[in-house]
């Protein structure tokens, strides 16, 4: 007959394999995203985008605010491109990111939907 401990070991191995595959998939996705971001920063077209809408996600008491920016810009062919991007800013800088204001972006000439927001991550710099 079958030993119940061998079933438990089999399920544990399957579970660990699934977790390992998920972790490897996340790492591969992050590497691809980093390469694409680097390519766009080196070869992309610099312009400004207009903020259409902003979603604010604040956590507990913190100096930082997570924002989701809905933006639009015109590419080099004059086509109107819309997109959404996330950023971490200082809560005190929130007035700079309101509908109608602009911010810097770099977009891929071949695929204008691929955009790098030129907003420095507030958690990586010192507050003034």
């Amino acid at each position: 007959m079958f030993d119940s401990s061998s079933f438990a070991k089999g399920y544990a191995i399957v579970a660990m394999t699934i977790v390992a595959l998920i972790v490897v998939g996340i790492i591969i996705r992050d590497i691809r995203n980093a390469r694409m971001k680097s390519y766009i920063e080196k070869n992309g077209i610099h312009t400004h985008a207009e903020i259409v809408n902003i979603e604010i996600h604040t956590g507990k008491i913190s100096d930082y605010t997570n924002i989701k920016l809905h933006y639009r810009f015109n590419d080099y062919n004059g086509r109107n491109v819309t997109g959404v991007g996330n950023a971490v800013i200082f809560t005190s800088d929130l007035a700079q990111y309101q509908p109608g204001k602009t911010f810097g972006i770099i977009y891929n000439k071949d695929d204008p939907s691929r955009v790098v927001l030129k907003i420095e991550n507030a958690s990586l710099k010192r507050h003034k």
Side-chain angles (χ1 to χ4, degrees):
M1 297 306 271
F2 292 107
D3 182 16
S4 64
S5 66
S6 65
F7 277 125
K9 289 177 186 175
Y11 284 126
I13 290 171
V14 168
M16 288 189 299
T17 302
I18 290 171
V19 170
L21 289 173
I22 291 170
V23 170
V24 168
I26 290 170
I27 291 170
I28 290 171
R29 186 191 69 204
D30 287 347
I31 290 169
R32 284 183 185 158
N33 287 343
R35 283 184 182 165
M36 179 57 72
K37 180 179 178 181
S38 176
Y39 175 81
I40 292 171
E41 287 175 337
K42 290 178 185 174
N43 304 307
I45 297 175
H46 295 256
T47 190
H48 283 84
E50 178 185 2
I51 299 171
V52 177
N53 190 20
I54 181 172
E55 297 176 35
I56 302 168
H57 306 284
T58 56
K60 304 274 182 190
I61 299 172
S62 176
D63 289 339
Y64 308 113
T65 299
N66 295 309
I67 58 173
K68 182 184 284 189
L69 295 170
H70 299 261
Y71 58 86
R72 70 174 162 235
F73 66 95
N74 291 327
D75 69 3
Y76 70 99
N77 287 324
R79 290 181 298 214
N80 192 9
V81 180
T82 60
V84 178
N86 297 308
V88 178
I89 62 169
F90 288 113
T91 303
S92 59
D93 293 342
L94 195 56
Q96 297 175 21
Y97 300 98
Q98 297 300 317
K101 298 216 175 184
T102 62
F103 64 97
I105 63 168
I106 306 171
Y107 70 90
N108 185 338
K109 181 179 179 179
D110 300 325
D111 183 2
S113 66
R114 294 193 180 269
V115 174
V116 174
L117 305 182
K118 297 307 298 174
I119 300 173
E120 188 175 357
N121 189 328
S123 64
L124 301 177
K125 64 181 181 178
R126 292 188 185 270
H127 189 57
K128 297 175 185 175

